[in-house]
Amino acid sequence: MPASPSTARAINDRLALRLLQQDGPLTAGQLKQLTGLSRPTVADLVERLTDAGLIAVVGEAGEQRRGPNAKLYGIVADRAHLAALDVRTEGVSVVVSDLVGAVLAEASVPIGGDMGTGPAVEQAVALVERVAKEAGADRLHTVGIGAPGLIDPATGELRDSTGLPEWHRRLVAALQERLPEARVHVENETNLAALAEQRDGVARDRDTFVLLWLGHGTGAAVVLDGALRRGASGGTGEIGFLPVPGTSGPPSAVDCEGGFHSLAGSAAIVELAGAHGVSVEGASVHEPAAAGVVREAVAPAAGHAAGDADRFLDALADRLALGVACVVAILDPGCVVLGGEVGQAGGEALAGRVEERVRRMSPLATVVRPSGLGGGAVLRGALLTARDAAQDELFAPPDR
């Protein structure tokens, strides 16, 4: 059945807004060309979107004659402000952006393990409020949060997880209380990293892939046919619990020690590097120690033998290939991204080694790529999620 006039207008408006989001300011003539709509239809939608306060004239096209078609229209970026949080066990990072995703302010704060739940939550919330103020945001429309642990698929809330700080769960409730007008969305950090790699990173050409997160801990995100898969309990990708050979024993339901985490977590990688004579002086507080030793092995400085570095990378690739091969055997994703700070630090040198080993272990063709975004993928994914949610609401037809 043909769409009703109101539905057709809504479809056209959303199409125009999406083009303005993707391609930046456009003239009415460019919108006509890109949408295939008639000139009167484009004129009507431009008037509607301008009256709704969603778009405005932001300039004039270069050498075109003056007139309606010479005006450049852009999304009103300050119509809403968004915040994104990357919540780690050791601290929080925050960015605040406008409606089109341009970052206006950002900051991080460490939160020590000896800090109580109440003070930790207050410090994190205060950071969000401070960054919002620095960005010139009177209020936040949408907040996207990336956190480790399981997200309940029924409620969308962060579930109790053994080994994770209590302040993580309290933080979500505190933000909703202090920012009552904001919509708060929580997602597993590895899932957000996969979203960012799919939209802005190395998986842009893939509808199906798996991201293997390698940071302080391990995790995985599964994207099949363009959709993120969370599982019946929200636990898809808890690869740290995967039983693998070479550990002291199997993992338990409450502890991933003995699972893949015991081979590929940051502490395990640093220990492996030390056994091969690779170490780093003065590790950065802003990334897992494993990222530093892997980066050192890829480009060894004076004092480290290239042979030791190569042997360490080979041994690490042996470990990572165990987890990757298990994922490949079950899902056949065709592409695995080595994500997180460690995956980015390893670059092609580590990814190539893992791909070579998986090729020998599995008949299923699999490309292994290093992350293009590293640890910043979580924050980027949280911001994309907040932006999409805000635009879905603000760009919706008024009678929906």
Side-chain angles (χ1 to χ4, degrees):
M1 294 179 60
S4 66
S6 61
T7 300
R9 286 194 295 271
I11 293 172
N12 293 340
D13 290 355
R14 291 297 294 267
L15 175 59
L17 287 164
R18 187 171 73 246
L19 289 169
L20 289 167
Q21 168 71 62
Q22 294 173 349
D23 301 331
L26 298 169
T27 65
Q30 289 170 326
L31 283 171
K32 174 182 178 297
Q33 181 179 9
L34 291 170
T35 61
L37 299 172
S38 68
R39 188 178 300 276
T41 299
V42 170
D44 286 344
L45 75 83
V46 166
E47 183 177 2
R48 278 195 307 275
L49 295 176
T50 301
D51 290 343
L54 293 174
I55 68 172
V57 176
V58 296
E60 292 185 347
E63 298 182 1
Q64 295 188 28
R65 65 177 178 81
R66 292 186 177 275
N69 288 346
K71 295 177 181 177
L72 279 170
Y73 295 93
I75 293 175
V76 179
D78 61 0
R79 173 69 182 271
H81 290 93
L82 321 170
L85 283 72
D86 180 1
V87 180
R88 306 286 181 100
T89 56
E90 72 283 356
V92 177
S93 296
V94 177
V95 300
V96 171
S97 81
D98 60 24
L99 182 58
V100 297
V103 173
L104 304 175
E106 57 188 314
S108 299
V109 64
I111 296 180
D114 56 347
M115 184 178 293
T117 297
V121 169
E122 178 57 33
Q123 190 164 348
V125 174
L127 178 68
V128 175
E129 293 175 333
R130 176 168 66 82
V131 176
K133 183 177 180 180
E134 291 174 358
D138 295 329
R139 59 180 289 267
L140 293 173
H141 182 281
T142 307
V143 179
I145 302 174
L150 302 179
I151 307 299
D152 189 319
T155 65
E157 296 179 350
L158 189 63
R159 291 168 49 184
D160 283 317
S161 298
T162 302
L164 294 178
E166 173 65 21
W167 64 267
H168 281 195
R169 293 190 76 248
R170 297 279 188 87
L171 174 59
V172 176
L175 284 170
Q176 290 174 328
E177 181 179 345
R178 294 270 280 271
L179 306 170
E181 297 180 339
R183 290 77 169 162
V184 179
H185 300 265
V186 187
E187 180 58 273
N188 173 267
E189 58 178 355
T190 308
N191 288 344
L192 290 178
L195 171 64
E197 293 287 359
Q198 184 183 34
R199 298 270 288 273
D200 296 335
V202 299
R204 289 190 297 272
D205 61 335
R206 293 281 176 167
D207 288 332
T208 295
F209 71 98
V210 168
L211 181 135
L212 175 60
W213 180 264
L214 301 169
H216 287 286
T218 58
V222 177
V223 177
L224 301 178
D225 300 323
L228 185 68
R229 307 296 179 176
R230 296 176 176 82
S233 61
T236 294
E238 289 295 320
I239 198 171
F241 287 89
L242 179 72
V244 290
T247 65
S248 57
S252 71
V254 296
D255 191 353
C256 59
E257 288 299 325
F260 183 65
H261 173 82
S262 297
L263 298 183
S266 181
I269 293 175
V270 170
E271 183 179 357
L272 180 67
H276 288 82
V278 177
S279 61
V280 175
E281 296 287 339
S284 170
V285 298
H286 300 294
E287 67 176 9
V293 295
V294 169
R295 188 178 298 108
E296 172 64 24
V298 170
H304 287 111
D308 290 341
D310 284 340
R311 283 187 287 272
F312 161 59
L313 291 174
D314 285 341
L316 177 57
D318 287 341
R319 292 184 175 191
L320 298 181
L322 290 174
V324 172
C326 291
V327 169
V328 168
I330 301 298
L331 297 175
D332 185 21
C335 176
V336 173
V337 176
L338 301 185
E341 296 91 347
V342 176
Q344 186 177 46
E348 293 291 349
L350 180 59
R353 283 173 163 86
V354 175
E355 181 177 317
E356 178 186 6
R357 284 156 176 77
V358 173
R359 191 183 304 122
R360 297 198 302 261
M361 298 167 69
S362 171
L364 307 176
T366 306
V367 175
V368 179
R369 298 174 176 174
S371 167
L373 302 173
V378 177
L379 208 52
R380 179 61 183 161
L383 188 57
L384 287 169
T385 299
R387 191 189 75 186
D388 289 350
Q391 290 186 357
D392 280 345
E393 179 178 329
L394 293 172
F395 294 173
D399 58 344
R400 190 173 81 171

